[in-house]
């Protein structure tokens, strides 16, 4: 294990534009809210970062060595919380910026957590199930001193899933000598996962759409919605909005999009997607490109695929009233400013896609209590927390004139700053 002292100038800054961008965003809000300069300086860097070397035996008998990371940005409000991703682009800077975003997201949602993120630099699609299991278990052993239900609770992220979480939980449990389900969230329900977790992010997006529609005073009987990305987040949000009377006029996946101004039959589209593996060609709709999709006239646009989709190049083409960011970072900072000037309401990612971490929190709480809730109870509590956070962000926006993204950050940083002031220098 190699522990890094994360003092002033670190490899994080050199390695990643992501990390510098996350710092610039903090700098902007720190200046705006007059944040104490000493506190500001402390929040620009993670509390802890660990780099580990992971040798594993491959199926062909050779040994390959991978690099893994776990970064805790802050632990003032409680144990650190954040996903683990397997991807060839994982590096210390990226993981550190994502850990910082988790701190803001948890604080904004008023969850008793700090922010963390982890990952392994690898090409998961080239590894067999057995190799993935050995990689996950060895990584867990290497970071075991950092994680635990009261210390740091991992969850799934890109190319990790319920099975990955079950392996982490099992490896941790073997090491401590008893079963500890609450060391991870996003586990299978059969080993202590929560009902409603799988749908939570899309459901949270749908709640935000309804709240935002009432905030901007959308009076249309059946508001129109365009969804980019028809995966876990986008498809679930589309189905729930369809069920509650919204008209989903267009959706897309990596292969392209489809459009029907009269509305798409979402349950039939889901069946079509399961059979064909893509949305294009869906009967009764017109095939369109992903760029055409972003420029369609609609009430609500939900980018739920990738980062960097709305930029200065295409922001002037948008014809929606509301953008609800299901994906992480779909709007560039410059485009965000332009949308605000044009009077388009943007519900920022740290609010719009926080349903996942919120139900992760419920999973952790249920595990610690050994008492499990019905799906209805989970959804009801999620709606309450999402609704409250939306109202707070919209109120701050109305009061200060800040962009909603900056309002959300101001609430998150303000809450953390107050706790830090009361606690002292440790966290
Ligand atoms: P997913 O893999 O289930 O779905 C992604 C969808 O986007 C797929 O339909 C894919 O075909 C589509 N897509 C990929 N490239 C595209 C492109 N160039 N144009 C249009 N569509 C494209 O992923 P997901 O879990 O739904 O996550 C989507 C986004 O939401 C990601 O940014 C992720 O970080 C974010 N997010 C997810 C969760 C969660 O709980 N799943 C939580 C927070 C944030």
């Amino acid at each position: 294990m190699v522990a890094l002292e994360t003092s002033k100038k670190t490899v994080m800054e050199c390695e990643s534009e992501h990390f510098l961008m996350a710092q610039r965003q903090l700098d902007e809000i720190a200046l705006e809210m007059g944040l104490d300069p000493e506190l500001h300086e402390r929040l620009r860097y993670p509390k802890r970062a660990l780099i580990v070397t992971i040798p594993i035996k491959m199926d062909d008998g050779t040994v390959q060595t991978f690099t893994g990371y776990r970064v805790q940005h802050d632990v003032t409000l409680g144990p650190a919380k954040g996903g683990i991703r397997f991807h060839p682009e994982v590096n210390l800077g990226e993981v550190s910026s994502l850990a910082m975003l988790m701190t803001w997201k948890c604080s904004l949602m008023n969850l008793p957590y700090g922010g963390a993120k982890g990952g392994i630099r690898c090409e998961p699609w080239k590894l067999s199930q057995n190799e993935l299991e050995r990689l996950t278990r060895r990584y867990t052993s290497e970071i075991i001193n950092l994680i635990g239900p009261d210390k740091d609770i991992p969850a799934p992220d890109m190319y990790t899933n319920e099975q990955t979480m079950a392996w982490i939980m099992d490896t941790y449990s073997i090491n401590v000598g008893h079963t500890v389900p609450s060391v991870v969230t996003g586990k299978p329900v059969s080993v202590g996962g929560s009902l409603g977790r799988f749908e939570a992010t899309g459901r949270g997006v749908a709640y935000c759409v309804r709240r935002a529609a009432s905030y901007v005073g959308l009076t249309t009987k059946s508001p129109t919605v365009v969804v980019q990305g028809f995966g876990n987040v986008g498809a679930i949000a589309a189905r729930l909005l369809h069920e509650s009377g919204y008209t989903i006029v267009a959706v897309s996946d990596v292969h392209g999009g489809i459009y029907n101004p009269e509305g798409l039959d979402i349950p039939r589209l889901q069946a079509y997607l399961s059979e064909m593996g893509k949305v294009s060609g869906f009967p009764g709709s017109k095939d369109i490109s992903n760029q055409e999709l972003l420029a369609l006239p609609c009430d609500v646009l939900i980018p739920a695929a990738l980062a960097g989709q709305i930029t200065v190049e295409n922001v002037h083409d948008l014809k929606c009233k509301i953008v609800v960011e299901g994906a992480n970072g779909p709007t560039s900072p410059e485009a965000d400013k332009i949308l605000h000037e044009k009077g388009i309401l943007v519900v920022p990612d740290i609010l719009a896609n926080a349903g996942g971490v919120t139900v992760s929190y419920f999973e952790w709480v249920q595990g610690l209590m050994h008492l499990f809730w019905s799906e209805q109870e989970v959804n009801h509590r999620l709606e309450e927390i999402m609704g409250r956070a939306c109202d707070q962000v919209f109120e701050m926006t109305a009061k200060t004139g800040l962009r909603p993204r900056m309002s959300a950050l101001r609430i998150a940083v303000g809450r953390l700053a107050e706790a830090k002031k009361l606690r002292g220098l440790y966290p």
Side-chain angles (χ1 to χ4, degrees):
M1 287 198 302
V2 186
L4 278 194
E5 264 307 312
T6 52
S7 60
K8 295 265 164 102
K9 190 79 184 166
T10 68
V11 281
M12 276 164 228
E13 292 165 276
C14 313
E15 246 193 300
S16 166
E17 184 48 34
H18 290 282
F19 187 65
L20 294 174
M21 232 170 82
Q23 283 189 324
R24 277 200 295 273
Q25 191 169 266
L26 171 64
D27 296 347
E28 189 182 334
I29 201 63
L31 185 69
E32 201 282 329
M33 65 195 282
L35 187 67
D36 172 63
E38 290 171 1
L39 197 52
H40 174 200
E41 181 66 3
R42 162 68 191 85
L43 288 173
R44 297 184 88 238
Y45 301 92
K47 178 177 177 63
R48 297 188 183 100
L50 181 66
I51 305 179
V52 296
T53 298
I54 314 161
I56 64 155
K57 195 163 260 183
M58 309 302 284
D59 291 345
D60 65 6
T62 60
V63 172
Q64 257 191 48
T65 301
F66 297 87
T67 306
Y69 306 88
R70 185 71 186 170
V71 174
Q72 296 172 354
H73 172 256
D74 192 83
V75 294
T76 307
L77 299 171
K81 185 92 192 77
I84 288 175
R85 58 174 56 180
F86 290 178
H87 198 269
E89 278 160 31
V90 165
N91 63 53
L92 187 59
E94 184 196 58
V95 173
S96 302
S97 64
L98 293 167
M100 193 190 283
L101 281 183
M102 283 304 297
T103 301
W104 311 144
K105 195 182 283 193
C106 292
S107 175
L108 174 66
M109 302 313 287
N110 221 352
L111 306 179
Y113 288 138
K117 206 79 177 189
I120 301 178
R121 196 184 302 169
C122 65
E123 294 176 280
W125 47 87
K126 290 192 178 162
L127 301 176
S128 71
Q129 193 73 351
N130 283 335
E131 289 166 342
L132 282 171
E133 177 172 356
R134 289 195 286 273
L135 184 66
T136 305
R137 287 185 183 276
R138 179 65 193 256
Y139 168 71
T140 307
S141 300
E142 294 296 339
I143 64 162
I144 206 153
N145 291 333
L146 282 194
I147 60 172
D150 297 323
K151 292 157 98 180
D152 180 351
I153 306 129
D157 197 78
M158 271 163 72
Y159 292 97
T160 55
N161 55 26
E162 286 193 345
Q163 177 61 78
T164 324
M165 295 306 114
W167 289 328
I168 295 178
M169 172 209 159
D170 188 60
T171 310
Y172 183 87
S173 300
I174 291 168
N175 274 273
V176 297
H178 58 101
T179 298
V180 188
S182 298
V183 65
V184 289
T185 61
K187 303 176 285 291
V189 171
S190 51
V191 291
S194 176
L195 296 173
R197 171 68 180 80
F198 181 75
E199 291 204 340
T201 306
R203 188 173 285 277
V205 169
Y207 289 151
C208 286
V209 169
R210 288 193 217 117
R211 215 71 172 201
S214 97
Y215 177 71
V216 302
L218 212 61
T219 48
T220 333
K221 191 160 160 275
S222 178
T224 51
V225 182
V226 166
V227 185
Q228 185 195 47
F230 202 63
N232 176 276
V233 178
I236 288 166
R239 177 174 59 75
L240 293 170
L241 288 169
H242 174 80
E243 283 169 5
S244 58
Y246 281 68
T247 307
I248 316 301
V249 293
V251 306
S252 66
D253 60 25
V254 67
H255 307 288
I258 52 169
Y259 177 50
N260 180 348
E262 301 305 316
L264 299 161
D265 182 333
I266 298 299
R268 270 188 53 219
L269 175 60
Q270 285 183 305
Y272 176 86
L273 175 66
S274 313
E275 195 186 328
M276 309 302 283
K278 56 182 181 176
V279 295
S280 48
F282 181 59
S285 70
K286 178 181 160 217
D287 284 356
I288 53 169
S289 72
N290 258 300
Q291 280 313 317
E292 287 170 325
L293 174 127
L294 292 175
L296 288 172
C298 61
D299 293 309
V300 184
L301 173 65
I302 305 177
L306 306 171
Q309 295 301 295
I310 304 170
T311 64
V312 279
E313 269 83 54
N314 64 5
V315 65
H316 290 289
D317 301 336
L318 265 58
K319 297 180 195 73
C320 56
K321 299 188 179 87
I322 300 167
V323 175
V324 178
E325 296 185 333
N328 281 320
T331 313
S332 74
E334 299 75 22
D336 192 55
K337 286 178 193 153
I338 296 170
L339 288 171
H340 189 59
E341 282 158 17
K342 289 172 71 155
I344 297 175
L345 176 70
V346 178
V347 183
D349 48 7
I350 60 167
L351 170 59
N353 68 34
V357 70
T358 304
V359 176
S360 270
Y361 161 60
F362 297 161
E363 180 179 333
W364 177 73
V365 168
Q366 291 170 81
L368 294 178
M369 292 194 306
H370 308 285
L371 177 68
F372 289 86
W373 305 340
S374 67
E375 190 162 353
Q376 204 182 11
E377 185 162 4
V378 168
N379 294 342
H380 174 71
R381 287 177 188 266
L382 173 64
E383 183 166 14
E384 206 174 279
I385 291 185
M386 298 288 309
R388 198 183 310 136
C390 281
D391 291 348
Q392 286 169 350
V393 171
F394 298 155
E395 269 166 35
M396 177 68 82
T397 301
K399 196 170 90 184
T400 60
L402 285 169
R403 283 136 57 208
R405 189 179 315 281
M406 288 296 127
S407 302
L409 207 55
R410 182 167 170 169
I411 294 167
V413 174
R415 201 169 267 154
L416 189 62
E418 190 187 333
K420 276 195 165 305
K421 226 181 213 152
L422 291 165
R423 281 197 54 178
L425 283 182
Y426 169 74

